[in-house]
Amino acid sequence: MIELDTSGPAELAPLSWLIGLWEGTGVVDYTIGEESRSIEFGQRISFTHDSLPHLNYSSYTWLLDEKQTPHVAETGYWRLRRPATDGDPGPGLLPAVGPKPFTTVNEVETLRTPTGGFEIEVSIMHPGGISEIYIGEVAGPRIDLATDAVMRTESAKEYTAATRMYGLVDAHLLWAWDIAALGQDLRTHASGRLARVE
């Protein structure tokens, strides 16, 4: 049984079990042609909010070697998927011109899908010139995501699609990430197990 934090923005209630600082380890095991690339890493994931209807996300990893060598990082935003209204600010810094939408849990319930979950959108940026937009669903303590778009700068490595799964199991955040990159089709890439530390 998970407890949802209803003290923040109502739209975050379905995602509130993620809020906090998580730390643990994971493994990369990605096959490129005949070669398998495998490493173990440490990871710290943070989900926070600033009273806006989205979660701020950051992930930092390091190699599990003697020096705990910094590895990779990513940052982004997680939110419920719904049409923007006049009550939402933007684009840019334009202010909202109507009442805020979905300010109560009952209003958020109208967004529930026929399968019992909530559609979500996730934007993730990588410092190596890759931006991912995922769509998916949160259903209780499980989240399934698939890329809707992947954008790369000219200097970025080839990367075309991904899926991610997150789940709360025995008070641990478990995740798995499949990618299509470096000329390969969508396949197993990495997974991790993290415990809440804050």
Side-chain angles (χ1 to χ4, degrees), residues 65-138:
D65 57 14
E66 289 181 9
K67 297 180 181 179
Q68 294 199 358
T69 305
H71 187 46
V72 298
E74 59 184 25
T75 187
Y77 301 97
W78 297 50
R79 69 184 190 116
L80 292 188
R81 187 172 190 222
R82 62 162 179 82
T85 72
D86 289 342
D88 293 304
L93 293 175
L94 293 174
V97 294
K100 286 185 178 180
F102 304 100
T103 58
T104 69
V105 172
N106 286 340
E107 290 172 337
V108 173
E109 276 297 317
T110 66
L111 298 173
R112 193 178 286 276
T113 67
T115 59
F118 293 88
E119 291 184 341
I120 62 173
E121 295 177 346
V122 175
S123 304
I124 296 179
M125 297 274 305
H126 304 259
I130 295 171
S131 298
E132 302 170 276
I133 298 175
Y134 289 89
I135 56 173
E137 184 173 68
V138 54

Side-chain angles (χ1 to χ4, degrees), residues 104-184:
T104 69
V105 172
N106 286 340
E107 290 172 337
V108 173
E109 276 297 317
T110 66
L111 298 173
R112 193 178 286 276
T113 67
T115 59
F118 293 88
E119 291 184 341
I120 62 173
E121 295 177 346
V122 175
S123 304
I124 296 179
M125 297 274 305
H126 304 259
I130 295 171
S131 298
E132 302 170 276
I133 298 175
Y134 289 89
I135 56 173
E137 184 173 68
V138 54
R142 181 181 169 119
I143 297 170
D144 291 284
L145 301 169
T147 47
D148 185 46
V150 174
M151 295 151 284
R152 301 189 323 262
T153 62
E154 185 179 348
S155 62
K157 290 185 178 181
E158 189 266 330
Y159 180 95
T160 57
T163 62
R164 299 189 190 211
M165 187 279 296
Y166 296 80
L168 188 64
V169 179
D170 296 329
H172 285 81
L173 180 62
L174 277 61
W175 62 265
W177 183 9
D178 295 352
I179 64 171
L182 305 177
Q184 308 305 302

Side-chain angles (χ1 to χ4, degrees), residues 3-17:
E3 292 185 27
L4 298 181
D5 179 3
T6 57
S7 63
E11 287 186 63
L12 294 185
L15 295 167
S16 65
W17 58 271

Side-chain angles (χ1 to χ4, degrees), residues 12-32:
L12 294 185
L15 295 167
S16 65
W17 58 271
L18 289 167
I19 295 172
L21 184 64
W22 303 82
E23 193 167 302
T25 60
V27 63
V28 171
D29 191 7
Y30 193 63
T31 302
I32 303 169

